[in-house]
Amino acid sequence: MGLQDKIFKLKGKVQHYAWGGYEYIPHWLGIKNTEHKPFAEYWMGAHPSASSRLVDGDKEIILYDVIQQQPEIFIGSKALNEFGELPYLFKILDVNDMLSIQVHPSKTEAEKGFSAEEAAGIPINAPHRNYKDKNHKPEVMVALSEFWLLHGFREKESLKKILEDVPEFKNFVNLFEEDGYKALYRHVMEMPQQQVNELLTPLIKRVLQHKKNNRLTKEQPGWWVAKLYADENKMHDIDRGIFSIYFFNIVKVKPGEAVFQGAGIPHAYLEGQNVELMANSDNVLRGGLTPKHIDIPELMKHTLFEGIVPDVMKGKDAGSGEKMYNCPVTDFGISKIELHAGETYNHKANAMEIFVIIEGTMQVSGTNTLPAAKGNAMAVLYGESYTVSTDSHVLMYKAFVP
């Protein structure tokens, strides 16, 4: 591949997971969803299972392959030496149904877990495998719409009030006061299924009635439980993820606001659209709201059992229309860039950078010049000095290596 050009259009990969919405991503891409498939995620990066493609004239080149062949040209020697690959995966998500409750391990724990499962001979694609790679999976999301998520345990007084106010949870108050978060969570996560059903069925019936009577809002756990069990025929084996909906913070994020999820923070996306950036990993330990494998001992080992106040970041002004969202990791950084007619943004790529254009039109000029518009993604190779300009308005997000 001749690489006189340093700026490329990037074709991402759509993931049609069942929880996805049907309109947002097709509308953004400017295509019709004629088969009425869920469009859950749009991946931009070099993940081996779903790599993006670089558009080079009339050819399309698999990004993962060319990074393997010429890593210094694409990501630069610093990123190569530290990570051995493009260290991030960039996505757009449209969350229609709730995602699984999950926790991500730290890098050290991921390395240990991966080695142990390899030694045990568990196939990498086995449904009961926890560790698909040796990497940690910190992630950050920036809302594109009003977005709702669960994030970390409620602070002590808030959780105690929930336990006191929900009739089915009153018996947990002493356990929580005497033995804390971990004992409470272990108790509900290890409870026999029959007991979960008996405890939670009356709660579900009550919140469904409250929803019908317009007595619930999205700030309340009952709203999400009622959404989960809107189809009352599903009430045979109750999902113990309901406990987490009550025990965790329910967070509302406005467009342009961001939330970072580090190792150990239990979380789940509930509803809305976002742009998400994460370390290039697939290590997920699940705790409910999913038919997928749940490994309670492993989940308990890696969960941070303390009350937190979620940090919703507004972004820090970095000049030239750019706002930075500070993430405490070296794998990735994310910024929002918004320009109006006549404004420009100039930068030099520290490693490969990927832009995703949410609204408007622009052009990127450096070694070569390319136009871009809503629905496009662009890749700028390592070391390239470039200028972004618009004659109208553009809103985009940039993924980079700090």
Side-chain angles (χ1 to χ4, degrees):
M1 172 179 182
L3 283 173
Q4 59 279 19
D5 290 351
K6 298 285 185 183
I7 300 164
F8 294 89
K9 284 253 173 86
L10 192 71
K11 272 199 178 167
K13 174 93 169 125
V14 174
Q15 303 285 17
H16 299 284
Y17 306 136
W19 50 261
Y22 296 87
E23 293 169 12
Y24 184 85
I25 291 175
H27 181 259
W28 172 72
L29 288 169
I31 59 176
K32 287 197 159 44
N33 185 8
T34 48
E35 296 175 49
H36 196 64
K37 281 183 173 176
F39 278 61
E41 299 187 349
Y42 187 77
W43 286 25
M44 297 158 286
H47 196 281
S49 74
S51 177
S52 299
R53 293 167 181 265
L54 289 180
V55 180
D56 184 26
D58 54 2
K59 300 196 298 286
E60 290 186 6
I61 302 137
I62 296 169
L63 183 57
Y64 176 79
D65 292 349
V66 288
I67 290 176
Q68 294 290 309
Q69 291 153 15
Q70 299 172 297
E72 285 92 351
I73 290 175
F74 280 82
I75 61 173
S77 53
K78 184 175 178 292
L80 178 65
N81 293 337
E82 188 172 352
F83 303 105
E85 62 178 359
L86 183 68
Y88 60 76
L89 180 59
F90 206 18
K91 299 178 178 181
I92 284 188
L93 271 66
D94 181 11
V95 180
N96 188 41
D97 295 328
M98 291 173 238
L99 272 65
S100 58
I101 290 154
Q102 46 191 256
V103 168
H104 305 305
S106 68
K107 197 165 177 71
T108 308
E109 292 299 328
E111 285 167 0
K112 287 199 292 208
F114 181 83
S115 299
E117 290 189 333
E118 287 290 282
I122 301 169
I124 201 82
N125 57 354
H128 63 289
R129 174 122 187 185
N130 290 315
Y131 298 94
K132 306 287 170 65
D133 51 66
K134 295 179 179 176
N135 207 3
H136 63 165
K137 196 189 174 191
E139 56 194 27
V140 62
M141 57 135 290
V142 188
L144 296 173
S145 66
E146 180 180 286
F147 196 90
W148 294 83
L149 72 155
L150 300 174
H151 177 84
F153 282 95
R154 291 169 178 266
E155 286 195 289
K156 190 163 187 185
E157 287 309 310
S158 169
L159 179 48
K160 187 181 161 202
K161 184 163 182 359
I162 287 270
L163 299 179
E164 288 169 345
D165 289 352
V166 177
E168 291 76 11
F169 298 166
K170 275 192 162 57
N171 288 341
F172 301 155
V173 175
N174 287 348
L175 173 67
F176 178 56
E177 288 202 296
E178 287 167 20
D179 299 325
Y181 287 93
K182 191 169 187 176
L184 171 68
Y185 204 57
R186 170 170 279 130
H187 179 69
V188 298
M189 294 306 284
E190 292 180 350
M191 190 182 283
Q193 185 60 51
Q194 184 57 34
Q195 204 177 329
V196 172
N197 296 347
E198 288 166 7
L199 192 67
L200 294 182
T201 300
L203 183 154
I204 294 169
K205 288 182 171 166
R206 189 169 66 252
V207 298
L208 284 170
Q209 196 55 51
H210 287 172
K211 184 93 183 279
K212 276 179 196 151
N213 298 336
N214 291 320
R215 287 176 58 196
L216 294 173
T217 65
K218 290 183 178 181
E219 281 82 5
Q220 296 168 292
W223 170 282
W224 302 103
V225 175
K227 181 177 176 177
L228 191 63
Y229 282 95
D231 176 2
E232 294 182 47
N233 300 320
K234 290 200 302 193
M235 286 173 49
H236 42 280
D237 272 352
I238 303 298
D239 193 317
R240 67 186 68 229
I242 286 176
F243 293 114
S244 297
I245 294 175
Y246 281 87
F247 295 176
F248 297 171
N249 293 294
I250 295 173
V251 187
K252 174 186 176 180
V253 192
K254 297 186 195 125
E257 294 180 339
V259 177
F260 175 80
Q261 331 249 26
I265 297 282
H267 61 277
Y269 291 161
L270 297 174
E271 189 177 273
Q273 292 86 33
N274 70 23
V275 54
E276 183 184 61
L277 183 60
M278 62 182 61
N280 201 18
S281 167
D282 202 17
N283 287 328
V284 178
L285 303 163
R286 294 180 178 85
L289 306 185
T290 178
K292 291 183 181 174
H293 176 60
I294 295 176
D295 183 333
I296 301 301
E298 203 62 26
L299 177 77
M300 296 295 296
K301 198 160 89 182
H302 299 289
T303 300
L304 185 68
F305 289 105
E306 60 184 53
I308 63 165
V309 177
D311 177 19
V312 178
M313 297 184 277
K314 309 268 188 209
K316 291 206 170 106
D317 199 347
S320 301
E322 185 174 30
K323 274 192 171 173
M324 308 288 285
Y325 302 94
N326 292 331
C327 302
V329 290
T330 57
D331 311 62
F332 58 75
I334 187 168
S335 70
K336 170 185 166 186
I337 299 166
E338 188 163 17
L339 301 174
H340 298 280
E343 296 177 341
T344 58
Y345 171 79
N346 301 288
H347 196 65
K348 183 177 180 180
N350 188 37
M352 178 183 270
E353 298 186 349
I354 296 177
F355 300 123
V356 58
I357 297 98
I358 304 301
E359 292 168 13
T361 57
M362 63 184 232
Q363 70 173 16
V364 191
S365 307
T367 309
N368 59 308
T369 298
L370 280 179
K374 174 182 174 174
N376 292 157
M378 312 282 286
V380 177
L381 305 199
Y382 161 73
E384 174 74 337
S385 294
Y386 63 89
T387 298
V388 176
S389 58
T390 180
D391 55 12
S392 53
H393 167 253
V394 69
L395 168 63
M396 63 180 185
Y397 287 90
K398 180 179 88 164
F400 58 92
V401 180

